[in-house]
Amino acid sequence: MGRMVRKRRASLAVAALATGTAVLAAGCTGGHGPADDGRGRPKSPTASASPSTHPGSVLAVKIDNAGPARPHTGLRDADVVYVEQVEGGLSRLMAIYASKLPKAVGPVRSARESDLELLGQYHDPTLAFSGAQHKLLPLIDKAHLKAEPPDKATDAYFRGGDRPAPHNLYLHPARLMRSAPGADALTNGFRFGAAPAGGRPDTSTTVAYPSARFAFRWSADRHRWLVSMDGTPTMTTDGQPVTPATVVVQHVKIRKSGFRDFLGNNTPYTETVGSGKAEVLRDGKVYEAGWKRAKAADGTDFTTADGRPMNFASGQVWVVFVKAS
């Protein structure tokens, strides 16, 4: 109660996903399938790096969220799931793993410039992603993270299931990290404990992007929020619903970046350093809140309307970034 963690920084064949029988022999955008968003081609495959032994390093995985990518694998095991807007008004997920490493995660997709700022609040995170636009790669190399794309960690990725590329790239987390680092690795400033006073009953909340929609419905039986995407309940490949304990709708600045996709669409940049308002959903209520993050190396502070620290409910947290009005 009141613990503050802050230091810095489906239908798929589930067995095939767990064992990786369809092994990825080369990078995510090789010549045997369509390029991943046209965001550059991989380097020649190299020997995989040894699993990370960095103490307190979370695993961050960039996850595809287009319709053909669903249902996801390993999403229920994430400690935090970030939702961001990408090109064409669509969405993509960033899943953070600290307490548990699932056998497989995916589908894995490409990184964005915003991810580097977002991950600055975690200490030396490992980032798994399918690739990136070639102009972004130097920024990734300079970022305070351990980048592990398929061309670097060749035996950590595999193609699985009956989906077409690029919606069939999966990750074996254990081949990047020897074990889960534990909850202390969540240096993002989130607090967990008893609910604050106040709040208003709200059992259903919807967040819409231009081409994507998320709904969160409170389940009193599960004491969790049930997630739906584009009108369909969100299930994982093992047939289980995704049920966060806390949902944060964080209002942020979303601007144009210096990057475009292969169709010429500008990539939105989501600013997670700054301050603004938020709505925190927990225990069947919504709480008006504020957020503040002074610099990229800091975690994000959430406060109640009267300025007190905002506690989240114990369990998975979803953070949905929406454009501030």
Side-chain angles (χ1 to χ4, degrees), residues 149-166:
D151 59 293
K152 181 179 177 182
T154 54
D155 69 350
Y157 292 86
F158 65 97
R159 297 279 180 189
D162 56 359
R163 303 175 189 178

Side-chain angles (χ1 to χ4, degrees), residues 8 42 47 98 100 112 123 143 181 206 219 225 229 256 266 318:
R8 271 201 63 223
K100 180 180 179 181
R112 296 294 187 275
H123 178 69
T206 299
S219 170
W225 298 93
M229 299 181 186
K256 291 183 177 180
N266 187 270
W318 275 53

Side-chain angles (χ1 to χ4, degrees), residues 18 22 47 51 88-89 91 123 126 139 161 167 176 189 200 214 233-234 250 271 309:
S91 64
H123 178 69
T126 295
L139 299 182
H167 309 295
L176 293 184
R200 67 177 187 273
F214 296 83
T234 301
Q250 186 174 344
E271 296 187 10

Side-chain angles (χ1 to χ4, degrees), residues 94-106:
M94 172 81 81
I96 305 295
Y97 296 90
S99 301
K100 180 180 179 181
L101 296 180
K103 292 182 178 179
V105 176

